[in-house]
Amino acid sequence: MDSSGMKVQTDLQAMASRKDWTWSTALLGFFIAFSTSFQYGYNLSVLNQPMALVKQFLNDSLSAQSSTSASNFTLLTISSTTSLPEASTPTSPPPSSSTSLPAQNSISENTLTILWSLCTAVFVCGGMIGSFVVSWLADRLGRKVCVMLIAGPSVFGGVLSFACVYAASPALLLVGRFITGLSCGAATQLGPMYMLEIVPINLKGAMGVTYQLFVSIGLAMSSILGLSSLLGAKGRWSVLMLMNVVPSVVSLISFPFLPESPRFLLMAKEDKTRAKQALQWLRRNDDVVKEMEEMEEESRSQGRNESFTLVKMFKTRELLIPLVICTVLQLMQQFSGINAIFFYSTGIYLNAGVAVDVVQYANLGTCFVSVAMNFTVIPLMDRLGRRMLLLGPISGMVLTLVVITIALNLQPRYHWLSYLSIVCVISYVVLFSCGLGPIPNMITAEVFTQGPRAKAMSLTGLINWLSNAVVAMCFEIVQAATKEFVFLIFMTIMVASLIFTYFNVPETKNKTFDEIANQFKKHTEENSNNEHETVIV
């Protein structure tokens, strides 16, 4: 880096001590989060509360179709029988009712389980596709246009899922969930990318946590609306799917009046005028020279018009190392055991004496704990840093998994341990919300410069959705084999995650994108020199 670049970095380091929130930056951040992460969080749990009603719908719809098929078969049999000559003779008995197939009142339990699993599986498949292809669109059309573009499948998927009840068609529900998954998958990558490109370096952490905050709010909102006293009742649960169109409609109305990412405009489109205008609107200040210089320095460092493919990223060591780190962080998030905690939470609350009809409110309270913790972490992320908020909470998660394993196995003998289990559930949600919840997507958006950022986020996003699918498909099988000792598996994973984080994850607090990239480049050059010296010796 030349002397002018060093001067820009020094100026930005000085700027990092100031808080530069403006109403315009906060407003754009809100609309991005509401249109992407809120939608994703809402759809993650929208079917959880009305699960029994959805299963009943699947059962009734397919049973009715089976009965109709059976009736048609009977009519066809009767018609063909009476048309034969021997059937019309006086000695022939009348057609017997025994020729009709018995009407089926329900489908098999295995079929119902498979159909229910498909409702989740098709959503995850859509998410994998959406998260992977969005990089191509984001680099060509821009972040803002893509946010509006993914509103289309979100609305279409929500309407199809809503219409499934009136059409008595489980297929419509599955198609609707798949199309919604396409939108949500793209949203998980667009949101962090767009949000971190509009804030000054000293607010990247706060904005990154805001993304996860809206995921938690989306989870809580779908849980609230899904209560049996609201929309989680027979005849109303399909409206939950239709509510998914609200964030999409809001994005279509609002984003035409909001600015594109200044970094995209300057570094991808080379439109310095529009980039400056967007930055001035975001900062509510005409003096944006320093930030413009920083973006131009980053553009010079990566090379103007340089294309970044996945093949090139795998072959370029200074890009491969952060890609591996970000991929492992995504795996750590999905294999942390947070889904296992939620899976066990209902049983834990029941064993502690919580009434059956109150458990849904207890689970809702767990969601609110997550929301509250995300609010708490927003000011801490840029003070304590990413490493501290990974190492500390992961250590606490390891301890919590040990305690909950002991409590679940001994609580038949000591009932008071059931209350300790509740404390462990809440503690685990708190610890996850502090670190592994918000940081993986944030780190991925931070450690790559403008050119490779979208490609990297798409690849790591695909890994996140794939690991999500693995956990969803395998957890119940593993849990059935290991019972309460399943948490020891997650504890082992978390210990390995702690070691990996300590030795490999860099601190990105108050650093520019270019500075972080140069940090990896310098580390790669040092390792190459050491290897070269070793070979010579």
Side-chain angles (χ1 to χ4, degrees):
M1 185 182 296
D2 58 22
S3 58
S4 62
M6 291 296 294
K7 182 179 183 301
V8 171
Q9 298 292 354
T10 303
D11 291 336
L12 286 164
Q13 294 273 343
M15 289 169 60
S17 63
R18 301 201 309 267
K19 296 296 180 183
D20 296 314
W21 277 114
T22 61
W23 67 263
S24 49
T25 301
L27 181 68
L28 180 55
F30 167 82
F31 279 114
I32 297 171
F34 186 64
S35 302
T36 58
S37 58
F38 176 88
Q39 178 196 168
Y40 168 63
Y42 183 88
N43 281 287
L44 271 181
S45 64
V46 70
L47 292 179
N48 287 353
Q49 294 280 42
M51 178 176 66
L53 295 170
V54 178
K55 285 186 174 182
Q56 186 63 48
F57 158 73
L58 296 172
N59 178 74
D60 293 346
S61 299
L62 291 177
S63 296
Q65 291 174 14
S66 299
S67 298
T68 301
S69 299
S71 299
N72 291 337
F73 178 81
T74 302
L75 290 173
L76 180 63
T77 303
I78 294 172
S79 175
S80 61
T81 302
T82 54
S83 66
L84 294 175
E86 56 270 24
S88 60
T89 62
T91 57
S92 299
S96 171
S97 61
S98 63
T99 59
S100 63
L101 294 177
Q104 297 181 8
N105 294 323
S106 63
I107 61 177
S108 70
E109 187 65 30
N110 286 339
T111 302
L112 187 59
T113 300
I114 291 171
L115 282 172
W116 171 253
S117 299
L118 276 175
C119 290
T120 300
V122 295
F123 176 75
V124 173
C125 288
M128 286 189 287
I129 296 171
S131 66
F132 190 68
V133 302
V134 74
S135 67
W136 185 85
L137 294 172
D139 280 343
R140 284 159 180 77
L141 303 178
R143 283 51 166 151
K144 183 176 85 167
V145 173
C146 280
V147 170
M148 292 189 289
L149 190 64
I150 65 173
S154 178
V155 171
F156 188 43
V159 171
L160 287 180
S161 300
F162 169 74
C164 71
V165 172
Y166 301 95
S169 173
L172 275 184
L173 176 61
L174 294 175
V175 173
R177 289 294 288 168
F178 173 78
I179 295 174
T180 302
L182 289 172
S183 177
C184 288
T188 58
Q189 307 313 308
L190 276 175
M193 191 191 317
Y194 196 174
M195 293 171 79
L196 265 67
E197 288 179 4
I198 66 171
V199 289
I201 61 172
N202 60 300
L203 296 177
K204 288 189 300 175
M207 188 61 92
V209 178
T210 300
Y211 172 85
Q212 184 63 29
L213 169 64
F214 274 78
V215 173
S216 300
I217 292 174
L219 286 164
M221 183 58 68
S222 61
S223 298
I224 292 172
L225 294 176
L227 293 172
S228 57
S229 57
L230 296 175
L231 297 179
K234 191 172 184 178
R236 298 200 297 265
W237 65 266
S238 63
V239 180
L240 285 169
M241 310 294 170
L242 191 61
M243 295 295 290
N244 180 54
V245 308
V246 174
S248 301
V249 172
V250 169
S251 71
L252 290 173
I253 294 173
S254 60
F255 273 94
F257 305 99
L258 296 170
E260 175 60 91
S261 159
R263 289 183 177 274
F264 172 78
L265 292 171
L266 179 66
M267 302 172 67
K269 293 298 184 182
E270 299 185 4
D271 191 337
K272 188 173 181 179
T273 300
R274 288 179 61 202
K276 184 177 180 180
Q277 291 172 348
L279 205 54
Q280 288 172 336
W281 186 88
L282 287 166
R283 303 294 178 262
R284 312 313 299 169
N285 194 331
D286 291 337
D287 184 10
V288 291
V289 175
K290 292 292 189 296
E291 284 193 78
M292 290 291 291
E293 289 177 353
E294 180 265 323
M295 288 191 290
E296 290 174 336
E297 175 63 26
E298 181 183 334
S299 182
R300 285 193 293 271
S301 295
Q302 73 173 24
R304 290 187 182 274
N305 300 319
E306 184 176 1
S307 60
F308 289 90
T309 63
L310 288 177
V311 173
K312 180 176 181 178
M313 293 178 68
F314 282 118
K315 290 182 176 180
T316 308
R317 192 167 181 179
E318 60 262 30
L319 295 177
L320 179 61
I321 293 175
L323 190 63
V324 170
I325 292 173
C326 294
T327 298
V328 174
L329 284 173
Q330 298 288 353
L331 293 172
M332 286 163 51
Q333 183 189 72
Q334 289 300 324
F335 288 99
S336 64
I338 189 67
N339 293 323
I341 290 291
F342 279 110
F343 179 86
Y344 267 89
S345 62
T346 297
I348 289 170
Y349 289 137
L350 290 173
N351 288 335
V354 178
V356 175
D357 57 346
V358 179
V359 167
Q360 61 177 339
Y361 298 100
N363 286 327
L364 181 59
T366 307
C367 292
F368 278 114
V369 168
S370 179
V371 172
M373 283 311 303
N374 286 142
F375 269 115
T376 303
V377 173
I378 286 176
L380 296 178
M381 188 63 70
D382 288 307
R383 294 180 183 178
L384 300 180
R386 290 39 156 176
R387 277 176 57 83
M388 181 67 72
L389 286 174
L390 279 174
L391 294 172
I394 291 176
S395 300
M397 290 166 76
V398 171
L399 179 61
T400 303
L401 289 169
V402 173
V403 173
I404 198 171
T405 300
I406 296 171
L408 288 175
N409 281 279
L410 295 181
Q411 71 182 24
R413 190 181 307 174
Y414 306 102
H415 181 70
W416 60 269
L417 286 175
S418 61
Y419 301 104
L420 180 60
S421 299
I422 292 179
V423 173
C424 287
V425 167
I426 296 173
S427 298
Y428 207 78
V429 171
V430 167
L431 293 166
F432 180 84
S433 300
C434 289
L436 278 178
I439 290 178
N441 277 337
M442 184 197 315
I443 287 279
T444 307
E446 283 186 305
V447 299
F448 290 96
T449 55
Q450 190 72 22
R453 183 178 299 126
K455 296 289 191 306
M457 293 200 69
S458 286
L459 182 60
T460 56
L462 175 64
I463 297 298
N464 185 285
W465 283 90
L466 278 171
S467 54
N468 186 0
V470 171
V471 171
M473 289 187 294
C474 300
F475 173 71
E476 291 194 41
I477 299 173
V478 175
Q479 185 273 331
T482 59
K483 305 298 182 184
E484 286 76 11
F485 290 103
V486 68
F487 291 108
L488 294 181
I489 298 174
F490 295 115
M491 184 204 70
T492 303
I493 294 172
M494 285 297 94
V495 170
S497 300
L498 187 66
I499 296 171
F500 178 86
T501 301
Y502 181 81
F503 286 105
N504 296 284
V505 177
E507 182 55 73
T508 58
K509 179 183 71 171
N510 291 339
K511 292 180 180 178
T512 66
F513 296 110
D514 194 37
E515 187 177 6
I516 297 168
N518 285 326
Q519 182 178 331
F520 280 110
K521 188 175 182 179
K522 182 179 178 182
H523 179 70
T524 302
E525 290 174 351
E526 289 176 352
N527 287 341
S528 298
N529 290 335
N530 291 336
E531 291 173 3
H532 181 67
E533 290 174 1
T534 302
V535 171
I536 293 176
V537 172

